[in-house]
Structures are given as structure tokens and as C-alpha cells.
Amino acid sequence: DQGIVVVDNGVVTEVNAAMTTLFRATREQLCGTEALRLVADADRERLRNRMVTGEEGAVEFRALRLDGTTFDALGRSRQIELEGRTRRVATVQDVSELRRAQHDLQYVVDVMPVLVAYWDPTLHNRMANRAHIEWFNKTPKQLLGTHLSEMIDAATWDAYIPLLRRTLAGETLSFDAELTNAAGEVRQ
């Protein structure tokens, strides 16, 4: 369930039942609270800046309950005009289980001695294991979002792009590829 919160001038003015469940508090306890009080210290300034600038869209942050416990949250917000005033409306979702599952999956693929990566339908990297990161001598941050064509030489790209397009179209294929890293090492 997604919590819904309405914020007016930095103060919570309305919440739905899911929001009270997420934050383990009553509507009365949440309404009247400074919205940033519901954000962990480490993320508070970043979210304050989003509110001040009116930035909209999704954001991950650590949510802070009134009892001091925290959870991983995904928030989506936008500004609206309501009763002649600009207010911020946001949804909040607990993504703690998803983050734990992602962490566990990353651990499993990191111990594999083969190159494992996920490239989305636009061929941008979304995940890679440790062997993949080390092979291409990149940090996870450098690799994330990189287009596949930036990772392999032109000849390899030209040879395998037709196969990749068929795979992206839904066809099940099996093929071997030789990859050369920046050090000139070859891996199949």
C-alpha cells in the first residue's frame, strides 16, 4: 500500500490510512508535523532542497517514524493547487523488502566467477556483478547507465548487435562472445 500525504508550507495537513500504517502513527499524530521530521537525518537536506525548488518525481530516502525507527522508502511527489494554495502531494512506499532482495541478489551474482550484467531494452546497464566491474575496470557508479556500445569495441558491437536485437525482440538465443577489456585481455 502507498501512503499519501499532503504538505502545506512544510507541514503535513492530510494523510491516508496507509500512511498511518507505514509510520505507525495516528492521523492526529502525523497531521501538524513538519514533513521533514518524517525523513532520516542523512536524507533530510536533500529532500528539503527538493521541496524548496519544487522538484517533482520519484526519490528514494530513509523514512523516519515518530518512534525513531526507519525504513527504506520510495516517494513520488508533485505540487498542486488546492484551495488557492500551492501544496505538495506525495506517495510513500516501503521498499525495505525490495532493497533486501536486491542486496541478496547482488551478493549471489558477485560471488560468481563469470561476467553477469543486466542491460535494459535500450541497452543501458542496470546491474553488473563484481567480475564484470573488475573486468571492465569500472566502478559500479561508472558502469550504471552506460550504453553497451561504450563497453565493447566496434567490431564486436557490429558482430553482436543483430543478435542482441533479436533477443530484445523476444527470441531465445544462445551464443558465445569474445570480449576484450582495456588491458587487451580476452574473455569468452
Side-chain angles (χ1 to χ4, degrees), residues 77-138:
S77 65
R78 62 180 293 194
Q79 294 190 150
I80 63 166
E81 289 296 319
L82 185 65
E83 299 172 354
R85 296 175 56 96
T86 301
R87 300 182 192 195
R88 195 162 187 89
V89 176
T91 60
V92 179
Q93 184 177 2
D94 184 342
V95 292
S96 300
E97 286 297 317
L98 176 62
R99 293 297 162 258
R100 277 192 285 281
Q102 288 174 327
H103 179 267
D104 292 348
L105 175 61
Q106 188 68 51
Y107 176 78
V108 169
V109 298
D110 275 348
V111 298
M112 298 173 76
V114 296
L115 304 181
V116 178
Y118 171 68
W119 304 87
D120 70 15
T122 66
L123 298 178
H124 288 87
N125 180 268
R126 296 293 170 233
M127 186 277 301
N129 72 340
R130 186 177 318 144
H132 201 285
I133 289 164
E134 290 171 358
W135 176 257
F136 286 103
N137 195 29
K138 301 277 186 192

